[in-house]
């Protein structure tokens, strides 16, 4: 047999399901990487992190012992983040390693986010296949591959972006512990330790949720067989190793960071908002997240209760048609969650196979603990769908239960309604992808959405740097409320072009004139009273002052 024949025989031996999964992953990769550099969102947080990585790469600072600040913690009376709670540094480490391998540019720093987003697709398939058929698991994984919501976040370097992958790895590893108990392979102990060790540093929610769920799983598995403690010890050892930098930092600072964490959120949320309001916010967030993660309908960055707010009787708010649509979406999302969780409990009661029952019980435990954790943090500051991505896999599981239940009632007739549901979700995600891509293609995202991408601002930075007449300090300002969103990223790009910039904010042309140097005003709209030379780049007018 020739080498070519051996390769051909090997390809023929690959199952059809493996080929379909490969196609799904390839589609997911394409949607996440198409024009990745130009369409990468680059905001204040990304510029801040890029500065830090650049300083590490150039040897000005050592690798950090602590990570990003968690917003809205440690705020003083001036609303400054003084003494704010810091996450672990693992996300910074991901970025630094990526910079060392691929280069120190903003898009390269987002490669870890992209990688984990891609890896979540096959991991979701293997997780769902524990309980559902291969056909259904492939279909659900395919929905995740084309989810406009998760595609959008794969194009942004943000410390919470790896949460979905490591949350799924965490719950998958826990299941393997419960399924095999002492006979579980050592690799699952290591993977569990990695998932907990990394997840502990990505967000305060996972910092609490993962250990809480792991504790109950530990108690259960120890009751079944006490000899499993050795593998739990390995998982804990891996967890400690991954968090050594935090431990060292805390030991040096008298655990000041931990003290900041415990001052939030009980005093700020429960005491000031009220438990009933928090419970309502928690429920609404979970219901809307289940729908948004599947359909990508609406704005995933909106606060929870957005659909409720849209249907309140206010003639100034929305048109009647839009109110009706939002009401329909609200009812559908509510019905989906109620039916889905009902089926989860129902299948748990009916299930007789031990390993599958472990799967269902673990989902119930994770959902309940997730609800309890979010109860204490789902106040005014954190009532956003994006904070529930630790449970991104749950709506896919709930949809799986719904389709499974339909198939059991009618093995033949369920195909049409199930197909309609899948088609509508595919259409909704495709529409959301199109809506997201339109301003990216036209390069007017900065002015229309108050956020910006590398492809939009890099030509602006190049133009201004090239026309600064070799000044030691470059002066610029903005005169539109949308533009401050890109001031910090723009200053970062100036620095990478060896230009020192002085941002004069929105103080107007007069202040720029007083500098006596060539200065620039950036605006989303043409100003007829500006008699200065200007250049329009990606919908932004750049006026040259004092030229």
């Amino acid at each position: 047999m020739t080498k070519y024949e051996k390769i051909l025989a090997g390809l023929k031996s690959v199952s059809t399901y493996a080929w379909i999964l490969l196609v799904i992953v390839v589609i997911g990769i394409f949607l996440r990487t198409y024009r990745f550099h130009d369409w990468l969102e680059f905001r204040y947080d990304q510029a801040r992190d890029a500065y830090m990585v650049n300083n590490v790469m150039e040897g000005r600072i050592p690798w950090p012992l602590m990570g990003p600040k968690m917003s809205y913690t440690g705020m003083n009376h001036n609303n400054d983040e003084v003494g704010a709670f810091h996450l672990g540094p693992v996300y910074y480490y991901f970025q630094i390693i990526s910079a060392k391998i691929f280069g120190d540019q903003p898009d390269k720093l987002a490669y870890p986010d992209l990688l984990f987003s891609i890896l979540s697709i096959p991991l979701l398939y293997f997780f769902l296949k524990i309980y559902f058929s291969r056909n259904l698991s492939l279909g659900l994984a395919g929905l995740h591959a084309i989810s406009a919501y998760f595609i959008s976040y794969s194009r942004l370097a943000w410390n919470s972006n790896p949460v979905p992958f490591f949350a799924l790895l965490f719950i998958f590893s826990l299941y393997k512990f419960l399924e095999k108990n002492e006979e579980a392979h050592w690799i699952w102990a290591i993977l569990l330790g990695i998932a907990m060790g990394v997840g502990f540093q990505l967000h305060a929610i996972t910092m609490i949720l993962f250990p809480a769920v792991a504790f109950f799983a530990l108690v259960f598995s120890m009751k079944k067989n006490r000899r499993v403690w050795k593998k739990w010890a390995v998982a804990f050892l891996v967890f400690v190793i991954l968090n050594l930098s935090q431990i060292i930092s805390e030991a040096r600072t008298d655990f000041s960071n931990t003290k900041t964490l415990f001052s939030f959120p009980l005093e700020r949320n429960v005491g000031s908002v009220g438990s009933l309001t928090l419970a309502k916010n928690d429920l609404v967030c979970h219901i809307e997240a289940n729908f948004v993660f599947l359909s990508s309908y609406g704005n995933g960055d909106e606060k929870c209760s957005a659909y409720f707010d849209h249907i309140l009787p206010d003639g100034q708010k929305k048109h009647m048609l839009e109110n009706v649509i939002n009401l329909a979406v609200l009812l559908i999302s509510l019905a989906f969650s109620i039916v889905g969780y009902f089926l989860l409990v129902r299948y748990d009661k009916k299930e007789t196979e031990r390993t599958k029952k472990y799967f269902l019980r673990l989902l119930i435990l994770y959902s309940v603990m997730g609800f309890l954790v979010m109860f204490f943090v789902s106040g005014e500051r954190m009532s956003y769908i994006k904070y529930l991505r630790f449970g991104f896999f749950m709506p896919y599981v709930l949809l799986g239960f719904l389709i499974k239940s339909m198939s059991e009632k009618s093995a033949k007739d369920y195909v049409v309604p199930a197909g309609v549901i899948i088609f509508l979700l595919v259409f909704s995600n495709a529409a959301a992808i199109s809506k997201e891509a339109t301003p990216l293609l036209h390069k007017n995202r900065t002015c229309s959405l108050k956020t910006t991408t590398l492809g939009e601002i890099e030509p602006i930075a190049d133009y201004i740097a090239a026309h600064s007449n070799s000044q030691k300090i470059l002066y610029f300002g903005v005169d539109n409320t949308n533009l401050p969103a890109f001031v910090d990223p723009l200053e970062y790009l100036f620095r990478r072009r060896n230009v020192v910039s002085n941002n004069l904010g929105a103080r107007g042309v007069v202040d720029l004139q007083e500098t006596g140097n060539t200065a620039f005003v950036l605006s989303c709209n043409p100003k007829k009273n500006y008699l200065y030379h200007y250049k329009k780049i990606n919908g932004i007018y750049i006026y040259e002052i004092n030229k």
Side-chain angles (χ1 to χ4, degrees):
M1 182 179 293
T2 65
K3 184 178 180 180
Y4 173 78
E5 291 174 333
K6 289 181 179 179
I7 295 175
L8 189 60
L11 292 175
K12 288 182 178 179
S13 65
V14 178
S15 70
T16 303
Y17 295 101
W19 284 116
I20 296 174
L21 178 61
L22 178 61
V23 171
I24 290 172
V25 173
V26 169
I27 292 173
I29 292 173
F30 171 77
L31 293 174
R32 286 160 174 79
T33 59
Y34 181 71
R35 295 193 180 183
F36 184 77
H37 174 274
D38 288 348
W39 290 5
L40 180 75
E41 286 195 46
F42 197 52
R43 310 173 184 170
Y44 163 78
D45 289 346
Q46 288 69 51
R48 175 203 64 195
D49 294 348
Y51 276 123
M52 186 280 304
V53 173
N54 183 248
N55 287 333
V56 172
M57 294 291 290
E58 295 183 359
R60 287 191 289 268
I61 63 173
W63 286 46
L65 293 178
M66 298 300 291
K69 289 183 287 189
M70 180 180 168
S71 300
Y72 315 123
T73 62
M75 308 292 280
N76 63 15
H77 64 281
N78 292 323
N79 206 37
D80 299 321
E81 291 188 15
V82 177
F85 174 74
H86 284 258
L87 299 167
V90 70
Y91 184 74
Y92 283 165
Y93 293 173
F94 289 154
Q95 290 191 315
I96 294 170
I97 292 171
S98 181
K100 286 184 176 293
I101 296 173
F102 302 105
D104 182 16
Q105 291 85 35
D107 59 324
K108 307 301 189 295
L109 304 187
Y111 280 2
D113 305 72
L114 174 64
L115 174 65
F116 292 126
S117 179
I118 292 170
L119 291 178
S120 68
I121 300 171
L123 186 60
L124 178 62
Y125 165 73
F126 289 112
F127 177 71
L128 294 171
K129 197 163 69 72
I130 294 172
Y131 191 80
F132 300 110
S133 68
R134 285 185 293 185
N135 288 337
L136 182 53
S137 300
L138 284 170
L140 296 173
L143 284 176
H144 179 57
I146 63 169
S147 170
Y149 180 88
F150 291 103
I151 291 170
S152 175
Y153 274 104
S154 70
R155 298 176 180 273
L156 170 69
W158 187 40
N159 59 277
S160 293
N161 280 343
V163 165
F165 173 79
F166 285 98
L168 188 53
L169 182 63
F170 169 73
I171 202 76
F172 201 168
S173 302
L174 271 184
Y175 167 76
K176 289 297 183 179
F177 255 77
L178 300 179
E179 178 193 27
K180 300 293 185 181
N181 211 8
E182 189 193 2
E183 297 177 0
H185 200 281
W186 288 97
I187 188 62
W188 292 110
I190 296 173
L191 289 175
L192 177 61
I194 292 173
M196 287 196 299
V198 174
F200 192 79
Q201 302 179 54
L202 294 177
H203 202 276
I205 294 172
T206 51
M207 179 181 290
I208 301 170
L209 177 62
F210 285 11
V213 175
F215 171 77
F216 285 104
L218 167 64
V219 171
F220 177 80
S221 63
M222 289 290 286
K223 284 184 177 181
K224 302 291 290 184
N225 190 335
R226 292 186 179 276
R227 288 178 295 180
V228 78
W229 71 268
K230 296 179 181 179
K231 291 176 180 174
W232 278 103
V234 169
F236 181 73
L237 178 62
V238 173
F239 170 84
V240 171
I241 292 173
L242 290 175
N243 283 272
L244 272 178
S245 59
Q246 282 195 95
I247 296 171
I248 293 172
S249 177
E250 289 289 69
R252 291 177 178 177
T253 59
D254 191 30
F255 295 91
S256 60
N257 198 51
T258 302
K259 293 175 182 177
T260 300
L261 175 65
F262 281 105
S263 68
F264 177 88
L266 289 178
E267 295 177 3
R268 300 179 183 186
N269 278 353
V270 178
S272 60
V273 178
S275 57
L276 289 178
T277 300
L278 288 174
K280 188 212 78 170
N281 287 346
D282 197 354
L283 283 171
V284 170
C285 275
H286 276 83
I287 290 171
E288 292 189 8
N290 286 338
F291 186 79
V292 170
F293 291 166
L294 278 177
S295 67
S296 301
Y297 176 81
N299 181 1
D301 282 335
E302 281 187 340
K303 292 183 65 175
C304 301
S305 300
Y307 299 137
F308 282 106
D309 294 340
H310 288 172
I311 61 173
L312 291 176
D314 185 348
Q316 300 296 321
K317 278 193 172 183
K318 299 291 176 182
H319 297 295
M320 180 59 68
L321 177 60
E322 191 168 351
N323 284 342
V324 172
I325 293 174
N326 282 305
L327 177 60
V329 168
L330 173 62
L331 295 176
I332 291 171
S333 58
L334 180 63
F336 173 73
S337 289
I338 291 174
V339 172
Y341 287 116
F342 169 78
L343 290 174
L344 170 59
V345 175
R346 179 187 175 195
Y347 278 118
D348 174 63
K349 291 182 177 181
K350 291 173 58 179
E351 187 58 60
T352 56
E353 187 176 335
R354 180 180 60 87
T355 57
K356 288 188 175 182
K357 198 169 188 69
Y358 286 165
F359 176 83
L360 297 172
R361 288 287 172 89
L362 193 56
L363 290 176
I364 292 174
L365 171 64
Y366 192 82
S367 298
V368 171
M369 294 305 300
F371 178 87
L372 291 176
V373 171
M374 286 301 298
F375 171 80
F376 293 106
V377 299
S378 60
E380 180 69 18
R381 297 290 191 179
M382 296 184 69
S383 292
Y384 290 86
I385 292 172
K386 60 186 177 183
Y387 293 121
L388 277 85
R389 290 187 296 162
F390 63 83
F392 88 98
F393 52 87
M394 280 306 300
Y396 297 100
V397 172
L398 299 183
L399 180 59
F401 288 144
L402 179 61
I403 295 176
K404 178 179 171 66
S405 175
M406 292 165 57
S407 67
E408 291 172 346
K409 291 182 178 179
S410 176
K412 295 181 179 180
D413 298 336
Y414 91 97
V415 175
V416 173
V420 170
I421 292 174
I422 297 295
F423 171 79
L424 290 175
L425 291 174
V426 170
F427 177 81
S428 179
N429 279 289
I433 291 173
S434 176
K435 181 180 178 181
E436 179 80 11
T438 299
L440 293 170
L441 288 169
H442 291 90
K443 294 187 176 182
N444 63 354
R445 187 182 178 94
T446 301
C447 287
S448 62
L449 299 178
K450 299 184 181 181
T451 184
T452 192
T453 61
L454 277 180
E456 287 188 24
I457 63 172
E458 280 187 328
I460 296 172
D462 289 336
Y463 176 84
I464 294 178
H467 290 77
S468 60
N469 297 325
S470 301
Q471 295 174 182
K472 292 183 178 180
I473 299 179
L474 185 156
Y475 296 90
F476 75 99
V478 298
D479 70 347
N480 187 281
T481 56
N482 289 6
L483 291 180
F486 84 174
V487 167
D488 292 292
L490 196 58
E491 288 184 317
Y492 170 80
L493 294 177
F494 287 147
R495 172 178 166 179
R496 294 304 302 265
R497 286 153 178 76
N498 297 316
V499 176
V500 178
S501 60
N502 188 340
N503 171 27
L504 297 179
R507 284 184 277 174
V509 177
V510 174
D511 285 346
L512 291 172
Q513 288 174 324
E514 291 175 353
T515 65
N517 297 289
T518 300
F520 303 86
V521 174
L522 291 87
S523 175
C524 286
N525 302 302
K527 303 295 181 181
K528 294 182 179 180
N529 58 328
Y530 285 0
L531 302 179
Y532 306 102
H533 173 75
Y534 73 90
K535 176 76 171 180
K536 183 180 180 183
I537 301 178
N538 298 332
I540 296 174
Y541 293 84
I542 307 170
Y543 293 89
E544 297 183 44
I545 314 298
N546 300 332
K547 184 174 179 179

